């Protein structure tokens, strides 16, 4: 099932409504334009109409690795050079090409996976976003490829997904900062956490968001 909007506030809003009214696993919402695209940590998500892939998927089966699986799927679309900045920003040459927002209601048995990918050249995006694009023309074609990657990643054994993520870890060896500390990216744990080594030699496992130092 797919619902496409020419313009809507946020595909995540529409998918949440669908999920709440009983839509099946993998029900898909897409839009050409969003007027209130949301990012993580209260950020907004902007893009010029028609240039980005805007989608939200209703999931009735998912695990704790969902955000990481989604990052891997988008990295697969973006190509072998794309890295994942844990938990799931996808970077090409250090610049963000996609954002992922998971909104889950475990008590109701569903999650909405929202993904925005800059498909066409990123004219019109604010310079400070430091964004990249796939540099492709056809948003629908990119969507079809992304869905293939997603279906594969959602079913992949956790151990293999983590191993693949380690191959694309943008933070390995990089200085990272989080709310209460600073350290160097030291890999991804078997549970999908970010391992960081501090200057004092301690190893810390992070579960939230970090910033590149
Ligand atoms: C982030 O990088 O902070 C996450 C951005 C997520 C943006 C996508 S665009 C499609 C879906 N609808 C939204 O309102 N947000 C997600």
């Amino acid at each position: 099932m797919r619902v496409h909007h020419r313009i809507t506030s946020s595909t995540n809003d529409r998918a949440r409504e669908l999920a709440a009214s009983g839509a099946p696993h993998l029900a898909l919402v897409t839009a050409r334009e969003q007027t209130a695209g949301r990012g993580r940590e209260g950020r907004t998500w902007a893009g010029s109409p028609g240039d980005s892939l805007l989608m939200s998927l209703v999931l009735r089966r998912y695990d704790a690795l969902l955000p990481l699986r989604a990052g891997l799927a988008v990295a697969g679309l973006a190509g072998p050079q794309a890295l994942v900045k844990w938990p799931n920003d996808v970077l090409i040459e250090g610049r963000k090409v996609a954002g992922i927002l998971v909104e889950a209601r475990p008590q109701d048995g569903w999650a909405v996976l929202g993904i925005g990918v800059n498909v066409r050249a990123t004219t019109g995006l604010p310079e400070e976003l430091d964004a990249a694009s796939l540099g492709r023309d056809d948003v629908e074609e990119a969507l079809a490829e992304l869905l293939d990657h997603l279906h594969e990643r959602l079913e992949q054994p956790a151990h293999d997904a983590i191993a693949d993520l380690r191959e694309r870890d943008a933070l390995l060896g990089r200085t990272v900062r989080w709310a209460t500390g600073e350290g160097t990216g030291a890999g991804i744990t078997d549970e999908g956490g970010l391992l960081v080594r501090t200057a004092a030699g301690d190893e810390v496992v992070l579960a939230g968001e970090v910033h590149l130092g």
Side-chain angles (χ1 to χ4, degrees), residues 9-13 29 34 36-46 52-56 88-89 96 98-103 112-117 209:
S9 57
S10 154
T11 55
N12 267 34
D13 289 344
V29 178
Q34 294 183 131
R38 279 198 299 284
R40 294 197 310 276
E41 310 218 313
R43 290 186 295 254
T44 57
W45 180 260
S52 47
L53 190 172
L54 304 167
M55 60 152 276
S56 300
N88 57 20
D89 283 342
K96 181 162 161 165
I100 294 167
L101 175 67
V102 175
E103 296 182 307
V112 162
L113 168 63
I115 303 179
V117 186
E209 182 141 330

Side-chain angles (χ1 to χ4, degrees), residues 71-109:
L72 276 170
V74 176
L77 171 70
Q81 80 285 17
L83 298 179
V84 179
K85 175 178 168 284
W86 182 93
N88 57 20
D89 283 342
V90 178
L91 309 181
I92 296 178
E93 291 174 355
R95 294 188 303 145
K96 181 162 161 165
V97 72
I100 294 167
L101 175 67
V102 175
E103 296 182 307
R105 268 184 97 89
Q107 68 273 33
D108 293 333

Side-chain angles (χ1 to χ4, degrees), residues 92-155:
I92 296 178
E93 291 174 355
R95 294 188 303 145
K96 181 162 161 165
V97 72
I100 294 167
L101 175 67
V102 175
E103 296 182 307
R105 268 184 97 89
Q107 68 273 33
D108 293 333
W110 56 259
V112 162
L113 168 63
I115 303 179
V117 186
N118 302 324
V119 175
R120 297 159 63 101
T122 49
T123 51
L125 284 179
E127 191 58 36
E128 64 271 19
L129 284 183
D130 199 18
S133 80
L134 298 182
R136 292 173 57 156
D137 266 343
D138 193 331
V139 174
E140 274 300 304
E141 190 183 87
L143 171 67
E145 280 178 36
L146 177 58
L147 290 173
D148 284 346
H149 285 290
L150 276 170
H151 294 155
E152 200 175 299
R153 292 298 183 180
L154 291 172
E155 300 300 330

